[in-house]
Amino acid sequence: MSVQFNQISKAARKRRIQSELTSCSFVLPGFLFLAVYMAYPLVYTFYLSLTKYKLTDRAPKYIGFKNYIHLFADDTFLLSLKNTAVFAVLFFVLVMVVSLLIALLLDRGVRGSGFFRTSIFLPVVVPMSLSGVVFTWILNENYGLINYILKEIGLGILARNWLSEPSTAMFSILLVSIWKNMGILVILYMAGLQAISNDIMEASKVDGASALRRTFSIVLPNLKESFVVCGIWAIMNAIKVFEQPFVMTKGGPANSTMVLYLYTWQTAFKYLNVGYAGAIAYVMGICIMVFSLLNMYLNRSDAAKEKLRPYNG
Amino acid sequence: MKKTFAVMIVLGLMLAMFSSSFALAESNEMTGELRVSIEAWILGKFPIEEKTKEFEANHPGVSVAFSMVEGEDVTTNLLQWSQGQTNCDLSVGPAIDDALKYAQAGYIIDYGEDFFTGDYAEENFVQSLLNVNYIDGKCYVIPYTGEFQVVSYNKTLAKEAGLLDENGNIPAVDNWDELYEYAKIANEKTGKIGLSIAWGSNHMTYNYLASLQGLKGTIYGDDGKTVDFTSDYAKEVLTQWHRLVADGLTPTETFADNDAGRTNFKSGNIVLHMSGVSRAIEFEQTLGMGNVGVLMIPGTQKNGSIAYASGCVIPVFSEKQELAKAFIKEVILASEVQSSAMTKYGKMSPMLRDYSDLESKVWEVVVTTLDMHATPPLYSDYVELDEGLMNPELQKIILGVDSIEDGMKTLSDGIAELDLSSSLE
């Protein structure tokens, strides 16, 4: 009996090991990919951030956390941190709100919503390198379309050098960024809206709930998952903003649109100072992580809230 | 005797073997594929591909493969060369500040005296374009084109503004007050932009250095090494630039769009435009031959402007170094190639022989000033100086965000923190 049991147990163990090996073999390619292309660069970049190393140097020289300390005495870094924060907050708020409003409008099935959906999504597929150049022309002081229209409609006094004045350059980049990115969020919100059960909506109508009431009491609470996804996406894209200032202003005028990602790129690939660039990149990564976690915490599900609530006996 | 004879035969065989292997190595170096990395725009403006066919015909067994790059990718080259490998035998495009990084790491060859023989002797080059490429007395870059800073003007508009003399040219200016007056008159009489200055990331530093060189006769401070941001000459340049913008005579559109001045000039919206001399030739292609004049930046007719060059470097890891040198001489520096780029795009040839029988009057100015010009400083941290310090701070001064005094202090403090060495040691 015991021998038979041992044999069964052995066979079961063998089957389990085989099954685990099979599972591992499926996971292995993905794991190797992540290890080589994510984990190794992350670890190596962190090591570089602790060194004094320009690409023209023979080898990195370990300096501890000096690069991180130097960041807080670096005016350009502090300015780019401030610019990124300003951009991120405004971008996050505007892109989340504007996209939601558009998604709500389109979800109501306004006439020509198919056309509007396509129009709103179209900028997403146009490379920023192209649309950025076009916007550089549109926003030009002397031959730009915006100033031309303003002058034609008698608002010439508002015409200005949109990208070459520190007071308007970041604002211009912000608007272009919203135009460029809101298509994705509109699609995500619309997916969330379509997942809301028609029965609940119909029931609320029968109960006499107004459109506004339905939006605040049914639609928005049911979009919580969409808010989490859209929020993380918006935060990441806000803090990682790069292409727009790179193509449209190169960080100018007078560094007024210099953002963290652009400064990291400039430090690494222009000044070849990869050690210092690694430190900037890590600070940026930490910012993204903190804000993403904050967003997840604020939009956590009710079940998660229950779990987090202290036990009161 | 027999033994001696046998030893002699063995030695003879060994000698024959060595010499044939040397000959084979040499012939290998002059045959096969030559990999040329080149910035894409160069192939568009210089008829290099046509001339390459001739080169391949003249060198049986040789084929040339171009790999086009958007701009000089210093990072990729450094990383690749640091592994002792190269995917190109010749890189066409880098300026001396890029080449300095390669040379400091020991990744590019010094052309040596052997290169400069016959038609390509040093005296046959435009000296200001060749001299800029020397590091520690050795030449690491062979220039294929050059530029210097001038003020181009639209003759039709200048005539409308009454700025032309009896010869149909704008009279030379000695100081910035005179240039300011020209800009003011041009603006008032034509309603167009009086003076546009290329203040984008590609020309800001060159324009500052050229303006300083014109007024002071040197770009350096008292130590003869540090770019001057503290003298009265420096202050005069910055004061005039700020004044031009504050008075609405010069737009700042080039801050964001490097080509805004160029585009506007071609559209006939600008009377005077300060930039590279090649622009004048390019403008003639749009505005008509003879409709564009060149005015020297104040003082540069006497002290010279700022000239700079782009060139060719050969990685030490290339096995086709001699073939690459032959390609430079027979294709890149060929008279047909250079003359075509000069005539169509105003690209200055580095070879003196190309400066005769040129149709455009613009070249007269170029020829008469060819060897007067100074060159930008050769610093290890030149990019940091140019893009990290001068561009943003000069923009702040021009816009009035920083006062001129504060800006000058920021610039002089900033340059003190940079590595201004250029030695290979």
Side-chain angles (χ1 to χ4, degrees), chain A residues 13-33:
Chain A
R13 204 163 53 230
K14 197 177 169 188
R15 267 202 306 277
R16 202 175 66 231
I17 290 170
Q18 266 180 345
S19 161
E20 277 174 5
L21 279 175
T22 311
S23 308
C24 283
S25 67
F26 281 113
V27 174
L28 193 65
F31 176 78
L32 284 177
F33 184 86

Side-chain angles (χ1 to χ4, degrees), chain A residues 54-56 58 76 79 136-137 140-143 161 163-166 247-250 252-255 266 268-272, chain B residues 74-75 78-79 101 104-105 193 201 251-260 263-264 381 383-384 387-388 392 395-396 399 401:
Chain A
K54 279 185 122 179
L55 282 179
T56 44
R58 296 271 175 222
T76 312
L79 181 64
T136 309
W137 296 337
N140 183 275
E141 179 185 14
N142 292 300
Y143 54 82
N161 203 341
L163 292 174
S164 295
E165 285 178 22
V247 177
M248 293 167 64
T249 59
K250 294 157 201 77
N255 277 344
Q266 197 176 50
F269 300 110
K270 284 285 196 175
Y271 309 157
L272 309 178
Chain B
V74 180
T75 322
L78 282 171
L79 287 172
K101 294 180 173 73
Q104 283 176 327
I193 295 166
S201 54
T252 54
E253 59 188 356
T254 49
F255 284 0
D257 180 1
N258 287 347
D259 287 328
T263 312
N264 250 333
D381 282 351
V383 183
E384 286 89 331
E387 296 189 24
Q395 288 181 352
K396 283 182 191 171
L399 289 168
V401 174

Side-chain angles (χ1 to χ4, degrees), chain B residues 74-88:
Chain B
V74 180
T75 322
T76 305
N77 284 341
L78 282 171
L79 287 172
Q80 186 188 175
W81 294 344
S82 70
Q83 309 288 315
Q85 298 164 2
T86 182
N87 65 358
C88 69

Side-chain angles (χ1 to χ4, degrees), chain A residues 271-285:
Chain A
Y271 309 157
L272 309 178
N273 195 346
V274 285
Y276 193 54
I280 305 173
Y282 256 87
V283 170
M284 196 165 60

Side-chain angles (χ1 to χ4, degrees), chain A residues 62-83:
Chain A
Y62 180 76
I63 53 166
F65 284 89
K66 275 188 184 166
N67 280 332
Y68 290 91
I69 295 163
H70 180 67
L71 282 175
F72 296 95
D74 177 352
D75 290 341
T76 312
F77 170 76
L78 294 174
L79 181 64
S80 56
L81 189 65
K82 185 189 127 199
N83 289 341

